[in-house]
Amino acid sequence: MEKLSLFFLCEVKKRVFKGFGIGFAKQNKIATFVIAIELKPEKRQTMSIKLRLIIMNFLQFGVWGAYLTSMGSYLATTNMASYIGLFYAMQGVVSMFMPAIMGIIADKLIPAQRLLGLCHGIAALFIAGAGYCGQNDMLWPMFTLYSISVAFYMPTLALSNSVAYTVLEQGGYDTVKAFPPIRVFGTVGFIVAMLVCDFAGFQASPVQFYQCAAIGIVLAIYAQMLPNCPVNRNQEEKSFVQRMGLDAFKLFKSKQMALFFIFSMLLGVSLQITNGFANSFITSFKNIPEFANTFGANHANALISLSQVSETLCILLIPFFLKRFGIKRVMLIAMFAWVLRFGLFGLGNPGSGLWMFILSMIVYGVAFDFFNISGSLFVNENTSGDMRSSAQGLFMIMTNGIG
């Protein structure tokens, strides 16, 4: 029946071409070309799916890049340097429970893509409020609004992964091969947001929170147009723990998964140190006359963006390294990379030691990607569909929460 339909369609097209005075030989060639295009809807759908996920990742990390590496410098320049640790610690505190809660909701109640948009919308409104309080020197109201904002943003890191994996699997893709190139554009979004913040002069200003809010609102709207991620409402003959999605904690019964989550926690410590203090550490060199006018000391965000450039390139190496060395060796490489990262940071400076800073930024790509992205893929492959979002939330608890 399908062949008969194609034959009929081809004949119709030939007659149309004939009406325009096109010769028989050209009729065949043109009709064959047009039919070939029409027979590839999967390819067009594929490009559409990947492009939509690329935009999602670009915006997802653009929200974070608007302030994550520069907030410490802003706090330091407004006599709030002693609160830098508190602000960044709040991301860890909310990550201990919010990703798991939102993961449960995404698995059982609300489609992940809709919940992703809802979280971004709420986070954007509160981070904008934090920016307003910052402009009016209201520290504790700013901290409160900021805390609520990150409480809704942090779960989106896991939710966006869950959305991407679900959509790719629905399209028949191998997530190990298809996801890393898509995730690259998340890092690109982070870099773009960082550079805009730097060269627009927002590093030492609460305006960076407005930048974050603007990107968040765009993503909140865009997420509602992503492919649907079905929820699992089949709760017959299940315990309370299973109905609530808390069965993701059963993964600790597996020695392999338990070790993985423990290492997630330890490497999460390293990640939060570099997020919270890298910018303010480099900027502090401006107080030393020898380095006061150096590019690095005055444009710490631009220098740190090299880390994200390295991250972009290293993401593309993940499929090869996972297949060639396995998850255990890849995580071991990441651990050694973190040691090298901080060693070079401690020895370098924006002047003659700038090369150490640059090398440290390059090493960051290996340190971050070889664990975070590989770890997310590892969780996806070792969990069932009905607890996938919950498991991704648990991964976020260990890295950005307890860690």
Side-chain angles (χ1 to χ4, degrees), residues 23 51 105 119 165 188 284 325 347 359:
L51 179 60
I105 295 173
C119 286
Y165 296 145
V188 173
S284 68
F325 300 105
L347 295 172
L359 186 56

Side-chain angles (χ1 to χ4, degrees), residues 136-382:
N136 291 277
D137 298 323
M138 297 184 288
L139 172 62
W140 293 113
M142 179 179 74
F143 175 73
T144 301
L145 294 175
Y146 162 82
S147 299
I148 297 173
S149 176
V150 296
F152 282 93
Y153 175 78
M154 297 308 288
T156 65
L157 296 172
L159 283 173
S160 62
N161 285 342
S162 183
V163 169
Y165 296 145
T166 300
V167 171
L168 288 172
E169 288 175 357
Q170 288 175 345
Y173 288 100
D174 179 355
T175 54
V176 173
K177 291 181 179 179
F179 181 67
I182 292 172
R183 174 59 180 78
V184 162
F185 287 89
T187 305
V188 173
F190 194 97
I191 294 170
V192 171
M194 284 179 64
L195 293 178
V196 169
C197 179
D198 186 338
F199 292 105
F202 300 159
Q203 278 194 100
S205 165
V207 176
Q208 60 187 273
F209 293 143
Y210 292 134
Q211 178 189 343
C212 170
I215 302 171
I217 290 295
V218 172
L219 181 51
I221 297 171
Y222 177 75
Q224 307 309 315
M225 297 181 280
L226 291 170
N228 187 52
C229 301
V231 297
N232 177 30
R233 292 191 172 93
N234 181 21
Q235 297 183 355
E236 292 89 352
E237 299 180 1
K238 289 186 176 182
S239 67
F240 174 78
V241 170
Q242 290 174 318
R243 287 198 303 271
M244 293 302 295
L246 299 177
D247 46 344
F249 286 90
K250 290 183 178 179
L251 294 172
F252 277 97
K253 290 183 178 180
S254 165
K255 181 180 178 181
Q256 183 183 37
M257 294 301 293
L259 287 173
F260 169 77
F261 284 125
I262 290 171
F263 281 120
S264 298
M265 177 191 69
L266 295 175
L267 292 182
V269 173
S270 302
L271 179 61
Q272 300 314 315
I273 291 174
T274 193
N275 283 343
F277 296 98
N279 188 296
S280 56
F281 170 70
I282 296 173
T283 303
S284 68
F285 279 91
K286 291 190 342 184
N287 299 323
I288 303 174
E290 180 184 354
F291 307 114
N293 296 317
T294 58
F295 177 85
N298 288 277
H299 294 280
N301 249 17
L303 185 60
I304 294 172
S305 70
L306 294 176
S307 298
Q308 277 62 52
V309 173
S310 172
E311 183 184 329
T312 302
L313 299 175
C314 288
I315 287 175
L316 301 176
L317 298 175
I318 289 174
F320 168 77
F321 274 84
L322 280 177
K323 291 185 177 181
R324 179 67 178 82
F325 300 105
I327 187 66
K328 293 181 181 179
R329 289 190 178 90
V330 168
M331 286 193 292
L332 189 62
I333 292 172
M335 284 184 261
F336 281 117
W338 276 116
V339 173
L340 191 57
R341 156 80 164 175
F342 285 108
L344 291 167
F345 232 130
L347 295 172
N349 62 65
S352 60
L354 181 63
W355 67 271
M356 288 190 229
F357 275 177
I358 294 175
L359 186 56
S360 175
M361 306 305 170
I362 294 173
V363 169
Y364 174 84
V366 177
F368 180 83
D369 285 337
F370 277 36
F371 188 83
N372 262 44
I373 310 301
S374 301
S376 178
L377 289 167
F378 180 75
V379 170
N380 182 69
E381 290 188 339
N382 287 274

Side-chain angles (χ1 to χ4, degrees), residues 1-187:
M1 186 67 183
E2 183 180 355
K3 290 182 179 179
L4 184 61
S5 298
L6 292 175
F7 174 77
F8 177 74
L9 181 61
C10 192
E11 288 301 313
V12 170
K13 291 184 182 296
K14 287 180 183 179
R15 291 180 184 277
V16 172
F17 298 145
K18 186 176 180 180
F20 285 98
I22 300 175
F24 180 76
K26 289 187 177 181
Q27 289 176 27
N28 280 329
K29 290 181 180 180
I30 296 174
T32 302
F33 175 73
V34 173
I35 292 295
I37 294 176
E38 291 175 349
L39 287 177
K40 296 181 180 179
E42 299 88 357
K43 186 170 183 180
R44 293 202 302 275
Q45 183 181 15
T46 293
M47 296 301 291
S48 175
I49 287 173
K50 288 187 175 181
L51 179 60
R52 291 163 80 179
L53 293 177
I54 283 171
I55 294 172
M56 179 193 75
N57 272 271
F58 183 91
L59 296 172
Q60 171 69 41
F61 288 90
V63 170
W64 217 12
Y67 75 89
L68 184 66
T69 61
S70 55
M71 183 173 64
S73 286
Y74 158 61
L75 295 173
T77 55
T78 53
N79 298 319
M80 292 187 285
S82 59
Y83 298 106
I84 293 176
L86 180 62
F87 272 77
Y88 282 97
M90 184 51 63
Q91 293 190 9
V93 171
V94 299
S95 293
M96 292 179 66
F97 58 91
M98 285 300 289
I101 293 174
M102 292 302 171
I104 292 167
I105 295 173
D107 282 335
K108 311 297 181 183
L109 299 173
I110 303 175
Q113 85 283 358
R114 297 201 179 280
L115 186 60
L116 176 69
L118 179 62
C119 286
H120 272 293
I122 296 172
L125 292 176
F126 281 102
I127 200 71
Y132 174 79
C133 292
Q135 287 182 315
N136 291 277
D137 298 323
M138 297 184 288
L139 172 62
W140 293 113
M142 179 179 74
F143 175 73
T144 301
L145 294 175
Y146 162 82
S147 299
I148 297 173
S149 176
V150 296
F152 282 93
Y153 175 78
M154 297 308 288
T156 65
L157 296 172
L159 283 173
S160 62
N161 285 342
S162 183
V163 169
Y165 296 145
T166 300
V167 171
L168 288 172
E169 288 175 357
Q170 288 175 345
Y173 288 100
D174 179 355
T175 54
V176 173
K177 291 181 179 179
F179 181 67
I182 292 172
R183 174 59 180 78
V184 162
F185 287 89
T187 305

